[in-house]
Structures are given as structure tokens and as C-alpha cells.
Amino acid sequence: MIVLISPFNAIATSWAFSFVVWNDYVYVMTDEIVTDIEKEIGEVTAYSDMEELPGSFSNEFSVGTKYFSITNISTEEAIAVEVQSGTYQKALRENKYKEREPVDENKTLSGFILLLLIILLPEGLYISIKNIKNSS
């Protein structure tokens, strides 16, 4: 039996926490509700729960979700994310966001073809040798 494993879409990201990216930093969501909102500072511009994206990206919140500064707290420490209309949740700044390098589809296709050859070539040789022996 031959089992083929496709390298296409093989790179999937999973996160242990919900986050937003703002101003090139990852902010990890907390359960803390914030009421002292200062001003709007940005919004989610890209969403995916499978891959890292450029911009103000989130793995939980949809495009258009607003970010706010919190009264008397530096945005270098935390921001607020509007999780529902008028409800804001604190997100703590963790680390600089570094997006993964994009996958080169030509290399992925070449790798897939090579994988097929590695799997199928020995199987084809076995079948050919078996057919030669049976025809003798």
C-alpha cells in the first residue's frame, strides 16, 4: 500500500493563546475587562487562525476590531481590544512580531514531485521485477 503525504498546506500554525499584533508587537489577550479607555490607536487589518499575516494581525478577532490606549498605561505595556461594542479587554505586550517567511510554491511543488519519485519509483521497480520474474 502506498500512502502519499502532500506537502501542500503542510505548514499550519497553532497558538496557545489569543493575540493581536499592533505597531509590530504581539499583544496577548487577558481576561481583564478595561473601562478606562483613552483613544483609538488602530484596528485589526488581517485575520487568520492558520497562518501568520502582515499588518495588524489577529488570530481571534475579525478585521475592523478596534484597538485603544488605556488611561495611565503605556502602550508599551498593554492596549485594550474592543471585544464587543463598548466592552474592552486588556492585551499585554509580549515581544516583537516577526512574520514567517512566505512559502515558495515552486520549491514546494519540486519537493512534492521529489517525494512522489522517492515513494513511487521503488514501488514501480518492484512491480517491474515481479512482472519479469512471473513472465519467465
Side-chain angles (χ1 to χ4, degrees):
M1 178 168 115
I2 298 172
V3 177
L4 297 180
I5 301 169
S6 172
F8 296 110
N9 300 321
I11 298 175
T13 305
S14 64
W15 292 280
F17 48 84
S18 298
F19 67 87
V20 297
V21 174
W22 176 72
N23 215 19
D24 296 324
Y25 280 89
V26 174
Y27 288 79
V28 177
M29 297 304 299
T30 69
D31 292 331
E32 185 178 343
I33 300 299
V34 179
T35 55
D36 295 326
I37 300 305
E38 196 167 65
K39 65 179 180 177
E40 184 179 325
I41 57 173
E43 66 180 42
V44 175
T45 59
Y47 162 82
S48 177
D49 62 356
M50 292 300 294
E51 62 183 327
E52 296 174 4
L53 300 172
S56 294
F57 157 64
S58 178
N59 69 341
E60 180 175 337
F61 300 101
S62 61
V63 171
T65 300
K66 307 283 186 210
Y67 305 151
F68 295 83
S69 58
I70 303 170
T71 305
N72 298 323
I73 297 179
S74 168
T75 57
E76 291 181 7
E77 181 184 335
I79 62 173
V81 178
E82 189 172 31
V83 294
Q84 293 178 4
S85 182
T87 303
Y88 308 91
Q89 223 169 303
K90 185 185 270 186
L92 300 175
R93 185 162 118 170
E94 286 289 316
N95 55 323
K96 192 90 168 151
Y97 177 65
K98 185 171 191 269
E99 169 185 4
R100 285 187 187 172
E101 294 296 319
V103 176
D104 183 335
E105 292 180 17
N106 291 328
K107 287 182 182 176
T108 304
L109 181 58
S110 299
F112 182 67
I113 292 168
L114 181 60
L115 178 65
L116 282 175
L117 289 174
I118 291 169
I119 293 171
L120 296 177
L121 188 59
E123 184 72 19
L125 286 175
Y126 171 76
I127 292 169
S128 296
I129 293 169
K130 186 176 176 184
N131 288 340
I132 291 171
K133 284 184 180 178
N134 287 341
S135 65
S136 305

